[in-house]
Amino acid sequence: MPDRTHIRTACQTDAPSLGRGLAELAEQAAAGTRDSCGATATAVLAEESSGAAAADRTTAATHPDLSALVSVQMSTGEGPILAALDTGRPAGADDLLHDDRWPRYRARALDAGVRSTATLPFACDGLTVTVSVYGLRPGPLKKAAQGATELLGDLATESMARDRLYRAALVQVDQLDTALRTRPVVDQACGIVMYVLGCDADQAFNLLRRLSQRTNKKLGELAGTVVRTRGRGLEKELIAFDRSAAPGPGRPGSGPDRDLPG
């Protein structure tokens, strides 16, 4: 095979840092496994690990041909990675030339010059990582991959799982912060809508929410427009949208002739 180069295929999973961690893991697994010509590392969410052919995943490989070997397993639903994910145990083949368990994976691997393969699975906090090593000659790679590579995989998976949970927490904090910052504006907009339509607070909020969905605008952005204009120019749209909605019990009459708050 040509010299190793990093290649990463990312599909919606937690992006750059996960990809970098997998790339480092693949490089270290290849370097630490005797007779290995390269390695791949793949991460999938635990709930997607069964039927992982369609799962969102992030993959790193030390060579483009090896990245293709991961792709063919995910697309055909067969191969040592899928076997390791299904059983939670190492999987592989000492000599693919004489192993017919995964015909489509086997054909692609032999075409790339790969004769032996071994995959080790690791799981932590909803993240499942597989480390696969490949050899150009037949031989028991599975035994060689265990030991230092197994310890490395455990530590790396735990670290990536913590990082993933931390990033998810940051997203939640950011969403909460945005909600807290926009709440006063939404409350003001609700007050204006209540005045224009003569409705209560819940009806005003629901109307703004529905209007936000219909116009494909964020609620905070729509509320900001209502507050900046004090509802001027939006009266007819608000009234028409309110009338088009199914009337709720006890809905007060709209007030199209009201003077807007000055």
Side-chain angles (χ1 to χ4, degrees), residues 6-43:
H6 286 175
I7 183 167
R8 188 181 73 220
T9 303
C11 305
Q12 297 180 5
T13 330
D14 302 72
S17 67
L18 180 58
R20 284 194 297 271
L22 291 173
E24 292 173 3
L25 179 57
E27 284 287 348
Q28 292 171 355
T33 304
R34 185 179 176 183
D35 296 328
S36 169
C37 66
T40 61
T42 298

Side-chain angles (χ1 to χ4, degrees), residues 33-232:
T33 304
R34 185 179 176 183
D35 296 328
S36 169
C37 66
T40 61
T42 298
V44 296
L45 297 180
E47 60 267 23
E48 297 169 330
S49 59
S50 58
D56 293 337
R57 70 187 188 278
T58 302
T59 297
T62 57
H63 186 274
D65 286 346
L66 300 182
S67 181
L69 291 186
V70 175
S71 296
V72 73
Q73 292 180 76
M74 296 300 175
S75 62
T76 62
E78 65 172 41
I81 291 178
L82 277 298
L85 288 173
D86 287 342
T87 64
R89 297 192 299 271
D94 292 345
D95 190 352
L96 286 166
L97 190 62
H98 303 293
D99 192 319
D100 58 2
R101 284 175 293 170
W102 312 300
R104 287 168 289 188
Y105 167 74
R106 173 177 177 263
R108 179 64 67 88
L110 291 174
D111 186 58
V114 171
R115 288 285 297 274
S116 54
T117 180
T119 297
L120 306 180
F122 308 92
C124 182
D125 289 332
L127 182 68
T128 301
V129 172
T130 63
V131 179
S132 302
V133 291
Y134 307 84
L136 299 178
R137 295 188 295 274
L141 273 182
K142 186 161 60 175
K143 184 176 180 180
Q146 292 172 315
T149 298
E150 194 165 21
L151 177 61
L152 175 68
D154 273 329
L155 293 174
T157 301
E158 183 179 346
S159 175
M160 286 185 280
R162 283 200 309 266
D163 182 68
R164 177 174 168 268
L165 293 175
Y166 173 70
R167 288 173 178 272
L170 287 181
V171 170
Q172 291 179 345
V173 169
D174 184 64
Q175 291 172 342
L176 178 60
D177 180 64
T178 299
L180 290 174
R181 284 188 287 107
T182 58
R183 182 58 187 265
V185 179
V186 173
D187 287 343
Q188 292 178 55
C190 283
I192 292 172
V193 172
M194 290 166 63
Y195 186 88
V196 172
L197 300 181
C199 61
D200 63 29
D202 287 341
Q203 291 168 335
F205 178 80
N206 287 331
L207 185 142
L208 285 175
R209 180 174 53 81
R210 294 197 307 271
L211 189 58
S212 167
Q213 294 169 346
R214 193 192 74 172
T215 59
N216 200 28
K217 289 183 178 179
K218 292 182 178 179
L219 181 60
E221 179 184 348
L222 177 64
T225 300
V226 173
V227 171
R228 282 195 304 273
T229 62
R230 294 185 176 274
R232 298 183 188 281

